[in-house]
């Protein structure tokens, strides 16, 4: 869309019947004037509520352009430039992209000139030089809830200590990292904090990298806070355009928000894609209010975050023990020679085969992690000779859900998998092995997550974690160290079951 | 050579061979993995619409032609309007994903990913004397998308492009039944005359039932074009 200047103000061209003068894309308006809020203007509460805490494309706003323009002229909303020029090139104001290779230009039919757009956030609709981002200056009324938490569970003492730290961070608008081992029960740790925030009338967003986690968390939170409107946002979600004091969203959806939340919780901060996409940390900063709390949840913080915690540059609280109070299973390392060569020849190293056979004989289910899809297929066909029920699963597997389901029901004795199952999948009473733990793909975090699959239920709190390798790596050692350190800390703090 | 893959944005190194050094070969904008995910239409194809027989049930094949094309030929109203259609890619899940990002999300730059294949396949089937006529969008749709995908494809070929068609209905073709598609003529000609005796190639992103292309072809024939073919990125 282009704007025209009629001598007093900027108007969207479609609102002007005949125009002989120049029409420019928003990026070429030197400064977009902001107007004093007119208290006598009769506002559209639908529009303002739709825009509450967001910045959106005109295409995303189901309102007539006239109405939007009126609200702009009366000081209720504002047009921001979607793309701005920088010294090095461009910046996308929605996603923060400044990398030249993620911009492209085309002959745009909207502004009738060569128009540069951002390719990084294109899946959420195109932001180009002629795209205004519409923001509102008005926030909706806060709602204060009296004791909204309805939950009858109890927190372990490790969870309790972390929960108190979360409450304090929310109260004081601080940043906090909650480092909770796999199986510590980190969602419940948030309950007292969210409860307190809702009593103070705060707006809360829980963001996580993956849609399936949003779908799993949303009903749990709705159940815990039944009187509070909560919405779940992800690509294709039906809650789009709705407002609620409690928002559960994928980290991508944060891009549409603008100074919206008093509390932002980022779950699995280390998981793909948050850690690889600076876009999402930009989105988090943008979605927070200027004074707000930011809580990170993770079982496996990045090495440089661990360093910052050690140097006391980053406030963190740890939950070193699992909810059930048993220590984490510690991985053992076993050298298995040049296993890739063996796999190519159609066999597996003897100790690996022996490990698998033992599980089959004992009837104990297991995951076997391998680094790559191509290897996975070879390994599966080798293992199928031992037991035809053995299956493999990887990221692009259409039957992924079915296979994991069959494993849960016990129909598959051993599941060979790539790192996609390193998180989230919890099956009681299993053992875990990694073939080729020395591969670059198995970072410290990935290995800790893999080990974290074992001993999750109170009924079966232990199990075997074996890293088969062709040369130990720093990541392997660091993973083991991290697990041992957590167990020691848990013991020192008296968080383990007395037996 | 180093670059970022146009599709997956990952850094990649394109393999250099002696022939790359000795000939002026254009460097691929995609990484190996993404490039291999495109499926070209290969092997036995329908003489008329260019679809691959290997993906088609045997019963739909009638000699060198598919059942759909036979239906067009048996209809007096449409018979002989379109000489042939040729397409570059098979419409598989990967292609659906790519096209959706290109067309509906509006990532214009992806047209570069098609350049090499589009140029090679076009000149394999059509002469470099052809006149290109891209299928237009309605005004509303053009504003919404910001660009016309058929025009973007035509621009890859460096041949004269004639924008003589104009769309006067805004309904999406995909929302209509075959019967509805046939009944309503979606185009009109806005600059007639120059087509007398010309051989033209209609350019579009996708050939599904063929009705878009047949409608355009009939209009162009009526305006005097002697031979009308079509070329699309995808044969669904």
């Amino acid at each position: 869309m282009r704007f025209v200047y009629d001598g007093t103000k900027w108007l969207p061209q479609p609102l002007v019947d005949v125009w002989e003068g120049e029409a420019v894309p928003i990026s070429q308006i030197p400064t977009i004037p902001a107007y004093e809020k007119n208290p006598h203007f009769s506002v559209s509460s639908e529009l303002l509520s739709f825009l509450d805490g967001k910045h959106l494309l005109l295409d995303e706003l189901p309102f007539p352009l006239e109405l939007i323009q009126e609200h702009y002229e009366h000081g209720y909303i504002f047009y921001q430039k979607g793309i701005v020029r920088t010294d090095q090139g461009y910046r996308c104001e929605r996603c923060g992209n400044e990398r030249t290779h993620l911009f492209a230009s085309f002959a745009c039919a909207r502004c009738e000139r060569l128009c540069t757009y951002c390719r990084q956030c294109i899946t959420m609709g195109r932001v180009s030089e002629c795209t205004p981002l519409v923001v509102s200056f008005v926030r909706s009324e806060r709602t204060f809830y009296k004791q909204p938490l309805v939950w009858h569970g109890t927190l372990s003492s490790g969870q309790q200590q972390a929960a108190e730290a979360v409450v304090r961070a929310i109260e004081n608008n601080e940043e906090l990292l909650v480092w909770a081992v796999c199986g510590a029960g980190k969602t419940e740790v948030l309950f007292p904090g969210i409860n307190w925030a809702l009593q103070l009338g705060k707006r809360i967003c829980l963001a996580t990298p993956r849609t399936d986690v949003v779908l799993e968390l949303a009903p749990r939170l709705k159940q815990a806070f039944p009187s509070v409107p909560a919405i779940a946002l992800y690509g294709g979600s039906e809650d789009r355009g709705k407002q609620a004091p409690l928002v559960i969203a994928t980290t991508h959806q944060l891009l549409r928000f603008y100074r919206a939340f008093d509390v932002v919780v980022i779950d699995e901060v280390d998981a793909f894609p948050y850690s690889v996409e600076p876009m999402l940390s930009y989105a988090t900063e943008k979605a927070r209010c200027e004074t707000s709390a930011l809580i990170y949840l993770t079982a496996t913080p990045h090495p440089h975050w661990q360093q910052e915690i050690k140097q006391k540059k980053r406030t963190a609280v740890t939950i070193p023990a699992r909810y059930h109070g048993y220590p984490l299973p510690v991985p053992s390392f076993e050298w298995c020679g040049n296993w890739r060569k063996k796999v190519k020849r159609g066999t597996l190293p003897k100790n690996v085969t022996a490990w698998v056979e033992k599980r089959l004989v004992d009837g104990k289910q297991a995951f076997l992690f391998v680094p790559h899809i191509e290897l996975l297929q070879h390994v599966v066909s080798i293992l199928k000779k031992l037991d035809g029920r053995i299956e493999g699963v990887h990221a692009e597997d259409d039957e992924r859900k079915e296979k994991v389901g069959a494993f849960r029901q016990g129909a598959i004795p051993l599941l060979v998998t790539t790192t996609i199952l390193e998180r989230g999948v919890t099956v009681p009473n299993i053992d875990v092995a990694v073939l080729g733990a020395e591969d670059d793909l198995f970072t410290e975090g990935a290995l800790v997550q893999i080990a974290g699959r074992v001993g999750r239920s109170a009924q079966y709190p232990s199990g075997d974690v074996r890293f088969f390798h062709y040369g130990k790596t720093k990541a392997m050692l660091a993973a083991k160290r991290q697990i041992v350190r957590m167990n020691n800390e848990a013991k020192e703090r008296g968080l383990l079951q007395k037996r | 050579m180093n670059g970022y893959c146009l599709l997956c944005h990952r850094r990649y190194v394109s393999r250099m061979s002696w022939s790359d050094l000795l000939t002026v070969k254009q460097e691929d904008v995609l990484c190996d993995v993404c490039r291999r995910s495109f499926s070209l239409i290969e092997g036995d194809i329908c003489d008329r619409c260019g679809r691959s027989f290997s993906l088609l049930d045997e019963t739909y094949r009638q000699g060198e032609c598919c059942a759909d094309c036979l239906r067009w030929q048996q209809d007096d109203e449409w018979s002989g309007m379109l000489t042939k259609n040729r397409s570059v890619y098979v419409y598989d899940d990967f292609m659906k994903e790519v096209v959706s990002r290109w067309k509906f999300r509006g990532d214009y730059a992806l047209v570069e990913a098609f350049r090499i294949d589009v140029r090679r396949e076009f000149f394999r089937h059509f002469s470099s004397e052809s006149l290109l006529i891209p299928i237009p969008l309605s005004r509303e749709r053009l504003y919404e998308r910001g660009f016309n995908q058929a025009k973007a494809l035509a621009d890859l070929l460096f041949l004269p492009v004639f924008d003589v068609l104009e769309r006067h209905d805004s309904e999406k073709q995909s929302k209509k039944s075959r019967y509805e598609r046939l009944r309503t003529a979606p185009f009109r000609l806005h600059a007639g005359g120059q087509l007398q005796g010309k051989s033209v190639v209609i350019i579009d992103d996708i050939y599904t039932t063929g009705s878009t292309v047949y409608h355009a072809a009939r209009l162009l024939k009526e305006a005097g074009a002697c031979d009308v073919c079509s070329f699309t990125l995808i044969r669904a």
Side-chain angles (χ1 to χ4, degrees):
Chain A
M1 192 180 71
R2 297 188 295 182
F3 283 84
V4 297
Y5 192 66
D6 72 352
T8 54
K9 57 183 182 290
W10 290 96
L11 290 157
Q13 195 187 18
L15 294 185
V16 187
D17 290 335
V18 193
W19 186 255
E20 301 294 328
E22 201 194 1
V24 296
I26 190 162
S27 57
Q28 286 184 20
I29 301 175
T31 36
I32 302 156
Y35 295 97
E36 192 92 358
K37 195 189 279 177
N38 172 5
H40 306 297
F41 177 67
S42 72
V43 298
S44 152
S45 50
E46 289 87 17
L47 171 61
L48 292 181
S49 134
F50 198 94
L51 262 179
D52 187 21
K54 303 221 177 99
H55 62 173
L56 297 176
L57 311 178
L58 283 170
D59 304 348
E60 291 174 318
L61 283 168
F63 298 93
L65 190 55
E66 289 87 348
L67 189 77
I68 295 167
Q69 175 69 10
E70 272 175 23
H71 282 75
Y72 162 64
E73 287 174 16
H74 289 95
Y76 286 82
I77 65 179
F78 188 65
Y79 301 124
Q80 292 175 325
K81 296 178 184 182
I83 303 282
V84 293
R85 271 191 176 277
T86 63
D87 294 342
Q88 289 80 33
Y90 299 95
R91 180 174 63 248
C92 171
E93 289 290 298
R94 182 171 62 183
C95 74
N97 170 31
E98 290 190 0
R99 291 182 287 176
T100 6
H101 74 275
L102 290 177
F103 287 98
S105 307
F106 70 112
C108 176
R110 291 190 178 191
C111 63
E112 294 169 31
R113 64 188 75 198
L114 200 67
C115 188
T116 299
Y117 70 96
C118 173
R119 300 192 61 225
Q120 179 168 259
C121 59
I122 191 91
T123 51
M124 324 209 43
R126 186 174 54 216
V127 177
S128 74
E129 282 183 293
C130 66
T131 311
L133 288 169
V134 186
V135 291
S136 158
F137 286 147
V138 193
R139 293 310 308 271
S140 59
E141 292 281 315
R142 291 174 183 277
T143 320
F144 300 86
Y145 293 87
K146 261 189 190 165
Q147 198 52 42
L149 177 63
V150 181
W151 181 65
H152 302 294
T154 47
L155 296 175
S156 71
S157 59
Q159 283 176 309
Q160 187 60 41
Q161 287 162 25
E164 283 161 17
V166 171
V167 171
R168 278 196 303 276
I170 288 173
E171 209 166 49
N172 303 328
N173 291 310
E174 289 166 344
E175 249 188 73
L176 175 73
L177 172 74
V178 178
W179 183 355
V181 295
C182 299
K186 54 189 161 76
T187 308
E188 292 79 16
V189 165
L190 298 172
F191 286 175
I194 294 174
N195 190 37
W196 183 226
L198 289 166
Q199 290 179 27
L200 297 174
K202 289 183 190 260
R203 289 172 263 242
I204 305 141
C205 177
L206 213 151
T208 168
R210 295 177 300 147
T211 301
D212 40 339
V213 181
V214 172
L215 295 175
E216 187 218 308
L217 283 178
R220 280 170 75 186
L221 285 165
K222 283 181 187 169
Q223 202 179 16
F225 300 95
S227 60
V228 183
I231 54 173
L233 298 176
Y234 47 91
S237 149
E238 281 172 16
D239 287 345
R240 233 166 112 171
K242 291 188 196 160
Q243 302 292 333
L246 189 52
V247 174
I248 303 110
T250 57
T251 30
H252 263 87
Q253 296 297 321
L254 284 178
L255 283 177
R256 293 208 172 93
F257 287 92
Y258 186 74
R259 294 184 193 160
F261 301 109
D262 307 296
V263 179
V264 176
V265 181
I266 310 277
D267 192 12
E268 298 204 19
V269 55
D270 55 300
F272 177 86
Y274 186 81
S275 54
V276 290
E277 297 258 17
M279 164 166 96
L280 296 163
S281 69
Y282 175 90
T284 308
E285 280 312 310
K286 194 167 53 93
R288 302 169 64 181
C289 292
E290 274 161 27
T291 23
S292 57
L294 179 57
I295 317 279
Y296 293 110
L297 295 182
T298 175
T300 49
H302 272 279
H304 72 269
W305 279 36
Q306 292 185 33
Q307 196 67 30
E308 284 174 22
I309 297 166
K310 226 188 241 166
Q311 295 164 346
K312 307 247 184 266
K313 282 188 200 152
R314 181 175 284 282
T315 327
V317 54
T318 49
I319 312 177
R322 287 184 159 170
Y323 178 75
H324 57 47
Y326 291 90
L328 301 164
V330 179
S332 54
F333 301 159
E334 219 172 297
W335 190 82
C336 66
N338 191 349
W339 57 276
R340 279 174 201 268
K341 208 163 133 190
K342 289 224 169 77
V343 169
K344 251 186 207 162
R345 284 199 202 132
T347 60
L348 285 174
K350 276 202 187 91
N351 47 359
V352 177
T353 314
W355 189 88
V356 172
E357 274 172 340
K358 173 107 172 65
R359 312 301 126 181
L360 292 174
V361 169
D362 294 354
K364 188 162 187 193
Q365 284 187 293
F367 283 152
L368 176 64
F369 286 85
V370 295
H372 300 287
I373 297 182
E374 299 96 73
L375 280 162
L376 179 121
Q377 276 141 3
H378 289 298
V379 172
V380 171
S381 59
I382 296 167
L383 286 176
K384 268 193 183 289
K385 287 175 203 151
L386 290 179
D387 189 322
R389 295 172 303 160
I390 291 175
E391 288 289 345
V393 65
H394 57 86
E396 275 126 66
D397 195 336
D398 295 333
E399 292 167 62
R400 188 171 143 184
K401 271 207 180 104
E402 290 75 19
K403 283 178 183 170
V404 173
F407 184 83
R408 277 183 205 283
Q409 285 170 2
I412 296 174
L414 184 131
L415 198 56
V416 188
T417 170
T418 54
T419 49
I420 52 146
L421 290 189
E422 86 185 27
R423 285 164 199 275
V425 179
T426 306
V427 186
N429 199 23
I430 58 164
D431 287 340
V432 159
V434 180
L435 177 61
E438 77 283 356
D439 194 278
D440 287 347
L441 218 65
F442 295 117
T443 58
E444 175 187 347
L447 290 169
V448 171
Q449 290 282 358
I450 287 171
R453 300 303 102 212
V454 176
R456 292 293 282 262
S457 78
Q459 251 182 306
Y460 307 100
S462 62
D464 191 43
V465 182
R466 198 79 59 97
F467 294 167
F468 291 102
H469 64 88
Y470 186 36
K472 278 180 230 168
T473 60
K474 278 188 184 143
M476 288 165 63
L477 295 168
K480 186 169 177 174
R481 249 194 332 261
Q482 189 183 128
I483 291 166
V484 170
R485 198 170 58 234
M486 283 295 181
N487 282 341
N488 289 341
E489 188 185 325
K491 204 167 150 194
E492 278 160 28
R493 282 169 56 185
L495 301 175
L496 295 183
Q497 290 247 343
K498 309 271 182 310
R499 261 157 297 151
Chain B
M1 297 270 174
N2 264 313
Y4 291 93
C5 173
L6 197 65
L7 258 183
C8 68
H9 300 321
R10 274 191 271 264
R11 252 197 122 81
Y12 72 104
V13 182
S14 63
R15 268 187 246 132
M16 287 283 280
S17 68
W18 282 108
S19 70
D20 293 341
L21 286 173
L22 298 171
T23 58
V24 194
K25 203 175 125 192
Q26 211 171 11
E27 209 181 313
D28 199 354
V29 292
L30 300 184
C31 70
D32 262 11
V33 179
C34 288
R35 178 53 71 200
R36 272 185 276 135
S37 306
F38 282 86
S39 321
L40 288 165
I41 294 176
E42 284 167 327
D44 240 6
I45 56 170
C46 167
D47 235 11
R48 236 169 239 279
C49 72
R51 84 203 303 184
S52 165
F53 277 133
S54 62
L55 301 168
L56 203 63
D57 197 291
E58 225 6 79
T59 53
Y60 282 97
R61 184 172 177 165
Q62 315 272 337
E64 293 310 303
C65 200
C66 72
D68 285 354
C69 288
L70 211 63
R71 208 156 136 205
W72 284 113
Q73 294 324 306
Q74 283 161 352
D75 190 331
D76 290 342
E77 209 181 327
W78 298 103
S79 169
M81 288 299 165
L82 188 75
T83 309
K84 66 173 179 187
N85 172 74
R86 289 294 178 268
S87 309
V88 183
Y89 300 116
V90 176
Y91 203 35
D92 52 14
D93 287 344
F94 175 80
M95 202 59 211
K96 277 179 196 159
E97 196 72 24
V98 172
V99 165
S100 143
R101 209 167 108 192
W102 179 49
K103 218 164 88 171
F104 301 122
R105 304 284 171 207
D107 197 355
Y108 179 88
L110 291 182
V111 74
E112 283 305 320
F114 314 138
R115 180 183 288 275
I116 301 173
D117 291 337
V118 162
R119 288 185 59 83
R120 190 191 54 246
E121 294 303 311
F122 182 88
F123 292 112
R124 186 208 300 253
H125 298 293
F126 304 102
S127 113
S128 51
E129 308 283 301
S130 313
L131 211 64
L132 307 182
I133 299 187
I135 292 292
L137 296 178
S138 67
R139 276 175 68 101
E140 297 78 27
R141 184 85 54 229
L142 181 62
Y143 184 85
E144 192 185 294
R145 298 228 173 113
F147 64 89
N148 175 358
Q149 69 277 5
K151 177 78 166 44
L153 290 169
D155 287 342
L156 294 177
L157 298 167
F158 302 124
L159 294 178
V161 175
F162 256 39
D163 255 326
V164 292
L165 294 176
E166 194 179 359
R167 190 162 215 136
H168 56 64
D169 76 331
S170 54
E171 275 277 329
K172 279 187 183 155
Q173 283 293 303
S174 51
K175 296 225 169 103
K176 294 186 196 158
S177 67
R178 180 181 150 94
Y179 176 73
E180 282 175 310
R181 286 188 193 197
L182 287 187
R183 216 185 33 182
T184 48
F187 308 111
R188 60 172 163 247
L189 222 52
H190 66 63
Q194 313 96 313
L195 292 174
Q196 207 62 48
K198 295 262 164 60
S199 85
V200 301
V201 181
I202 298 166
I203 308 286
D204 203 4
D205 54 341
I206 186 161
Y207 182 117
T208 309
T209 63
S211 75
T212 304
V213 164
Y214 268 89
H215 271 294
R218 183 159 75 174
L219 210 56
L220 297 169
K221 269 270 163 92
E222 283 165 6
C226 67
D227 182 51
V228 182
C229 296
S230 65
F231 179 68
T232 69
L233 185 70
I234 300 155
R235 176 67 176 93

